[in-house]
Amino acid sequence: MGRAWRVVAPWLRWGTVVVLLTLLALDLAFPPQLPARADTSVVVVARDGTPLRAFADADGVWRHPATPDSVSPLYLQALLGYEDRWFRRHPGINPPAMARAAWQWLHGGRIVSGGSTLTMQVARILDPQPRGRTLGAKLVQMLRAVQLEVHLSKDEILALYLNRAPFGGTIEGVEAASWAYLGKSATDLSHAEAALLAVLPQAPSRLRPDRAPEAARAARDKVLDRMAVRGIWPQHIVDDAKVEAVVARSLRTPLHAALLAQRLRDEARYAARIVSTIDMDLQRVLEQRLAGYFSQLPERTSAALLVVDNDTLEARAYVGSVAFGDRARLGHVDMVRAWRSPGSTLKPFLYGMALDDGLIHSGSLLVDAPQSFDGYRPGNFDAAFNGPVGADDALRLSLNVPAVDLLDRVGAARFAARLDNAGVTLRFPRGAVPNLSLILGGTGATLEQLVGAHAALHRAGIAGRVRLTSDAPRVERRLMSPGAAWIVREILESNPRPGERADTFDTGGRPRVAWKTGTSYGYRDAWAIGGTRRYTVGVWVGRPDGTPLPGQYGVVTALPLLFETIDSLPRARGDAMRTPPPRNVREAAVCWPLGTAADAQDAALCQRRRDAWTLDGNVPPTFAERDARRWGSGRVRFDVDADTGRRLSPDCSAPHVRRTREVARWPALAAPWLPAALREASRLPMLAPDCAPDGRDAVEVLHIEGLAPGTLLARPPNAAHGVRLQLRALGSDGRVQWLLDGRWIGETRGTQWLRHEFDTPGAHTLTALADDGAWRSVEFRVAE
């Protein structure tokens, strides 16, 4: 025996070496066909793991990433307990199972059970050739299974099965199947659901629960019975699981935040699973609300909505268009990041910058009247002017002339640079530079950048880049000081919602909202951006192709959706409470027309008193006049005769007892809107007849020719038009602006005629206002 072994042993050793070398050569010649990393579908999920949108792989297969640690332990128990109990112990093949399968084949003449291990099934999935249940195919699977066991760990093999097992149609992998059939993640499965998904790959076409629920139920119950027989699950658990009905959804891929998902996929090309910051429940609600809200808008109209958490700057909802895939509405265009005219949405930042510069306080006197800024003559959205207004009211009412006046003093280039540093990169036409029109929308910006900047009002002046994934870097820059941010937010929060009265303003438990609307030139863009203590929300409405949308503007079209969205957001205690101001913000009484603190001036100079928020103790005075060459606002000191009260110049021929007086004068362009008493209080006394002119005479008044005070205009009988008049202003050689009830209707120069048709019945006021402050108003009526 010993001699025989000595003879045989070398042959066995050499035979073993030959076999091993042969296997190694075969392994090198025919390596395992492991999937490439890029050969996977991509799924973008919400912050809770719910799929937002899935992208098929190059073959059109839907596959969601899964690992042994990410799926339910119940599913792993059902899968291994039913398919391969010895998976963790065998080398890829199970000899007892193979022997049983061979015995059945020899006695039955055909293959009854394959004896396949889970590793062999993975080998068949990765290398489907040769097909069928022939002996040759089974041998190839066995060799491939052993090869996989050599190259991969058990968990890696199991992960391949979890990701690539067929589940019917173009669905592969347990995670994709769980979402497709059950509408939930494979992380959270019941015993019945785990058993169902464990058995589906055996015959995915025949057992699809959306097409053959009874067959699927029978197969599931077979798995459940085996789990009970093998003692893996208790009998009472199995009995309860059998009661559960097989209810499957029709196969459909998720499609929420579709444009965001596309964006994230393009930015992270090699990621199989991308976790966004989106709140799935909020996203679903807002998508439905947006689609219903704008379903009646004209064709080619779209909308966008963005909700950002102020604390983290993470996007909680991202709706890039009204209806993704709707060609008529250009639903494939992501309007969250499209460059559009921002309208008036930049104004809060300008007022904040002016506060930081010490140019204004919240109650500063500004003039909303026709003005020229080196030839640029802005008007208001409704063509009306308001005369003297406070800075707070000018911002709340979104008045254009005061905003252009402020930008001219701050500097357009400097303002644009501050915005760019804070993350709002303005886009101008090629070759253009920042100019005064940018504050009225004469530039380009994106909804995403605007929301990140408006969040600064609730973040102590710190703007930031909106974050779409939790691992995105925090990019934050200061836009304004905490004090300026608080004052601007307080101004905007004090603006009541449309339909509510300012004097009875009460949030009714709703969060305080600092909101601002905007409308671009030609009704091309309607904006509404608002924020609470916790969230900042932006809404855009318009046509992606840039064509006008007449009659649709911020307050009417975008603002209602803004408030609906904010009212539906989660609330916390204190959201409806006013945030206390920083230490360097104080409330002070100021006086118009000087604009300075009430306690720092004589009571006689305080013609109108109001409260204002001041920053760092600064109470800047009212701006000096621009173009009114004959008088200016501010404190005017002069001498008067003690007996007659007449004004005295330095050169008077008769002796006088002189006394010094002061008056506070209003800006000349504000005069047409002032009550007679205030105009009289600002007027200088007449000059004494023996005194030489001192150049301080009041501005000459204009004379309106063509319409006398108190005129009743009657429309000619059977006329299809109103009363047509020719008018001109006498007394000025310069430019004259014409206002009807505060609304601009035209411009003349010198003695040019203005032709206008008066067709609205009732009382009216016609005002002619010259650049030098000269003016005249005429009251008249148009008959019914």
Side-chain angles (χ1 to χ4, degrees):
M1 182 68 181
R3 183 178 178 182
W5 172 250
R6 286 194 298 270
V7 173
V8 173
W11 289 99
L12 289 177
R13 287 195 296 269
W14 282 107
T16 301
V17 171
V18 170
V19 170
L20 292 175
L21 290 175
T22 301
L23 292 176
L24 178 61
L26 290 174
D27 181 69
L28 294 175
F30 304 99
Q33 299 182 9
L34 299 178
R37 182 176 182 180
D39 183 26
T40 60
S41 59
V42 178
V43 59
V44 180
V45 302
R47 61 199 297 243
D48 64 353
T50 305
L52 295 173
R53 184 181 179 185
F55 298 88
D57 66 7
D59 298 323
V61 174
W62 303 95
R63 189 184 302 113
H64 297 185
T67 65
D69 293 332
S70 70
V71 300
S72 169
L74 296 179
Y75 174 74
L76 295 180
Q77 293 170 10
L79 174 66
L80 299 180
Y82 183 72
E83 290 285 356
D84 192 351
R85 285 186 297 164
W86 310 108
F87 171 73
R88 295 288 180 182
R89 300 179 183 178
H90 63 62
I93 57 176
N94 187 342
M98 297 302 299
R100 183 185 69 250
W103 177 261
Q104 292 173 342
W105 173 62
L106 289 173
H107 283 267
R110 61 186 180 86
I111 295 177
V112 177
S113 64
S116 294
T117 63
L118 204 64
T119 309
M120 292 173 63
Q121 294 182 44
V122 171
R124 183 175 67 248
I125 292 171
L126 297 180
D127 184 12
Q129 300 294 338
R131 296 183 180 275
R133 303 183 71 180
T134 64
L135 180 61
K138 191 64 65 176
L139 290 175
V140 171
Q141 289 177 22
M142 293 170 61
L143 291 174
R144 285 295 192 186
V146 173
Q147 188 181 33
L148 287 175
E149 293 280 352
V150 171
H151 284 271
L152 303 176
S153 68
K154 288 292 186 179
D155 280 344
E156 289 173 331
I157 295 172
L158 183 56
L160 285 172
Y161 182 88
L162 297 179
N163 282 282
R164 295 186 173 266
F167 281 88
T170 57
I171 303 297
E172 287 188 3
V174 64
E175 185 70 16
S178 183
W179 281 110
Y181 294 121
L182 306 177
K184 62 194 301 186
S185 171
T187 304
D188 184 25
L189 298 175
S190 66
H191 290 80
E193 291 166 340
L196 175 65
L197 294 180
V199 76
L200 278 183
Q202 285 196 347
S205 298
R206 182 172 56 86
L207 299 178
R208 276 181 55 169
D210 61 324
R211 295 181 179 177
E214 292 304 320
R217 180 168 189 162
R220 180 204 68 182
D221 290 350
K222 181 179 178 182
V223 175
L224 290 172
D225 288 337
R226 186 170 297 181
M227 299 298 287
V229 168
R230 290 178 174 173
I232 300 175
W233 290 345
Q235 186 64 49
H236 72 277
I237 295 292
V238 169
D239 293 340
D240 291 341
K242 285 185 176 181
V243 176
E244 191 173 316
V246 173
V247 179
R249 311 184 310 168
S250 58
L251 285 183
R252 61 181 184 272
T253 58
L255 197 62
H256 296 286
L259 291 170
L260 169 64
Q262 180 71 54
R263 174 180 176 178
L264 293 178
R265 182 212 182 194
D266 293 342
E267 293 175 353
R269 292 185 174 275
Y270 300 107
R273 186 173 186 268
I274 303 171
V275 181
S276 73
T277 60
I278 296 300
D279 183 302
M280 186 61 195
D281 292 335
L282 180 63
Q283 178 73 25
R284 186 183 294 111
V285 168
L286 293 183
E287 284 181 345
Q288 295 172 352
R289 180 167 294 172
L290 198 72
Y293 189 87
F294 293 112
S295 61
Q296 302 303 316
L297 284 181
E299 194 177 56
R300 303 199 320 277
T301 304
S302 188
L305 187 151
L306 183 64
V307 179
V308 172
D309 184 299
N310 291 333
D311 182 39
T312 63
L313 289 174
E314 294 180 351
R316 292 292 177 246
Y318 185 117
V319 185
S321 65
V322 168
F324 176 73
D326 188 335
R327 292 187 177 182
R329 297 189 182 276
L330 300 179
H332 64 284
V333 180
D334 186 355
M335 300 310 299
V336 168
R337 53 177 178 161
W339 292 94
R340 307 294 297 195
S341 166
S344 296
T345 58
L346 301 178
K347 289 178 181 175
F349 313 136
L350 173 63
Y351 281 78
M353 193 168 177
L355 283 163
D356 280 330
D357 287 350
L359 293 176
I360 60 171
H361 48 71
S362 72
S364 288
L365 172 59
L366 304 176
V367 180
D368 180 35
Q371 298 187 51
S372 176
F373 302 88
D374 293 329
Y376 179 51
R377 306 185 69 87
N380 287 321
F381 178 75
D382 60 359
F385 293 94
N386 298 266
V389 293
D392 48 5
D393 290 328
L395 176 56
R396 277 191 289 261
L397 297 174
S398 196
L399 301 179
N400 289 342
V401 175
V404 173
D405 187 11
L406 276 182
L407 182 60
D408 190 39
R409 300 173 192 276
V410 167
R414 179 167 167 259
F415 178 62
R418 174 71 65 86
L419 290 177
D420 184 67
N421 181 70
V424 182
T425 303
L426 302 179
R427 178 172 291 185
F428 296 92
R430 184 182 300 272
V433 296
N435 54 65
L436 297 181
S437 69
L438 76 84
I439 199 60
L440 308 185
T443 183
T446 68
L447 176 62
E448 182 175 340
Q449 292 182 350
L450 289 174
V451 170
H454 273 263
L457 301 180
H458 308 272
R459 307 180 74 247
I462 303 294
R465 182 186 302 167
V466 176
R467 303 169 66 218
L468 306 177
T469 59
S470 59
D471 58 351
R474 293 181 72 116
V475 180
E476 301 170 302
R477 294 287 179 85
R478 179 163 296 284
L479 179 56
M480 63 186 79
S481 69
W486 188 93
I487 293 174
V488 172
R489 186 180 75 237
E490 177 68 18
I491 292 172
L492 297 179
E493 284 183 346
S494 300
N495 198 15
R497 301 187 183 197
E500 297 179 351
R501 292 172 51 187
D503 56 349
T504 59
F505 177 59
D506 182 7
T507 65
R510 297 173 305 194
R512 292 172 60 88
V513 183
W515 59 276
K516 184 74 187 72
T517 60
T519 306
S520 66
Y521 178 77
Y523 298 96
R524 288 172 169 82
D525 306 273
W527 301 86
I529 304 177
T532 67
R533 182 180 295 187
R534 300 180 64 192
Y535 301 99
T536 299
V537 180
V539 177
W540 172 89
V541 183
R543 285 176 169 161
D545 59 9
T547 54
L549 194 62
Q552 304 296 332
Y553 50 96
V555 172
V556 170
T557 307
L559 188 59
L561 179 61
L562 173 76
F563 284 128
E564 284 188 22
T565 301
I566 288 178
D567 290 343
S568 66
L569 295 175
R571 301 181 188 178
R573 181 178 298 177
D575 285 353
M577 298 176 61
R578 181 188 195 183
T579 304
R583 292 184 177 181
N584 63 336
V585 174
R586 294 286 187 272
E587 193 170 20
V590 299
C591 287
W592 284 2
L594 298 182
T596 52
D599 57 7
Q601 59 186 274
D602 191 284
L605 301 179
C606 189
Q607 299 178 21
R608 186 177 292 176
R609 185 186 180 102
R610 59 169 297 166
D611 293 329
W613 293 106
T614 64
L615 182 62
D616 296 324
N618 293 325
V619 189
T622 300
F623 294 141
E625 292 280 0
R626 287 179 175 274
D627 298 326
R629 296 180 296 277
R630 301 189 183 179
W631 75 349
S633 64
R635 184 176 299 186
V636 179
R637 186 180 297 241
F638 53 90
D639 290 341
V640 297
D641 184 277
D643 296 325
T644 65
R646 293 291 186 92
R647 189 173 83 253
L648 302 176
S649 68
D651 186 10
C652 298
S653 58
H656 296 276
V657 178
R658 292 177 177 261
R659 289 185 180 175
T660 301
R661 282 188 53 194
E662 273 188 324
V663 295
R665 305 193 66 172
W666 292 78
L669 294 177
W673 287 269
L674 294 175
L678 290 182
R679 290 200 301 268
E680 184 63 31
S682 294
R683 185 173 292 128
L684 297 180
M686 292 181 62
L687 190 67
D690 63 302
C691 295
D694 59 1
R696 287 181 165 184
D697 289 322
V699 173
E700 298 177 1
V701 296
L702 299 177
H703 173 71
I704 296 178
E705 183 177 325
L707 183 64
T711 299
L712 176 64
L713 301 179
R715 180 181 300 181
N718 302 320
H721 55 78
V723 181
R724 296 172 177 172
L725 296 180
Q726 287 193 126
L727 308 163
R728 65 177 176 177
L730 303 178
S732 176
D733 295 330
R735 200 160 27 208
V736 175
Q737 306 296 324
W738 294 83
L739 309 176
L740 180 62
D741 301 326
R743 296 177 183 272
W744 186 88
I745 61 172
E747 175 186 304
T748 59
R749 181 179 291 273
T751 58
Q752 287 179 342
W753 291 95
L754 173 74
R755 293 170 176 82
H756 188 75
E757 179 178 323
F758 299 90
D759 55 2
T760 303
H764 301 282
T765 301
L766 178 68
T767 302
L769 178 62
D771 284 350
D772 60 5
W775 65 281
R776 169 68 74 182
S777 290
V778 173
E779 296 182 353
F780 66 99
R781 294 184 62 85
V782 177
E784 294 288 345

